[in-house]
Amino acid sequence: MTDAIHRPPWVPVAGHRLRVVGVHFDAVRIEGALGETVADRLIEVTDGDAGPVVLEQAGFRWMYFLLRPGTVHGHAWLPGVQRFGLNAGNMRTVTYVGIPALDGNTFPLRWYSEPTPETPYVAPELLLTAVTAVRAAQADREEP
């Protein structure tokens, strides 16, 4: 994380709030250890400025990568990666993502990587590269 303070209008001042996906951001969701490994890889390749990534600290420990609105459906994501954004083919589905404040009590959500003025959104190409690299490393470990 960087020390730059940048609070986009969709980030609450305190606590956490649900935000509609596709309005302020699109989202990619990855579960548990895979999500954390992908986030760590993304943070590493961006020198700590990966853009907004939210961790759900309870339950399945989902990791939400927040992308510029309208960008999630333009990429072929791998299995295990869920994408959320406005889709012209299915306007009946509305998805919400919990967004924590930048400080204070935000449980069960917390920022794994905060938005910054330089990186207000996760770059989908970098995220896809990180997911692909992590999946390839997993496959290499699983081969006998």
Side-chain angles (χ1 to χ4, degrees), residues 28-112:
V28 167
R29 180 172 83 170
I30 306 174
E31 184 179 355
L34 175 60
E36 191 165 341
T37 304
V38 168
D40 289 341
R41 175 77 176 219
L42 184 64
I43 290 167
E44 179 184 330
V45 301
T46 59
D47 293 326
D49 194 12
V53 180
V54 175
L55 170 63
E56 186 178 280
Q57 298 180 82
F60 292 108
R61 296 187 58 84
W62 293 110
M63 192 74 69
Y64 292 88
F65 300 84
L66 307 182
L67 285 58
R68 186 171 306 284
T71 59
V72 76
H73 292 294
H75 301 277
W77 299 98
L78 299 176
V81 175
Q82 297 175 322
R83 61 187 182 168
F84 302 101
L86 292 181
N87 185 347
N90 187 6
M91 295 302 286
R92 293 179 291 162
T93 302
V94 177
T95 304
Y96 295 87
V97 170
I99 301 297
L102 294 175
D103 58 11
N105 183 7
T106 63
F107 188 82
L109 304 172
R110 77 169 175 86
W111 288 104
Y112 204 83

Side-chain angles (χ1 to χ4, degrees), residues 38 41 76 78 125-138:
V38 168
R41 175 77 176 219
L78 299 176
E125 297 80 11
L126 291 177
L127 178 56
L128 187 55
T129 300
V131 170
T132 303
V134 168
R135 285 292 195 182
Q138 286 178 335

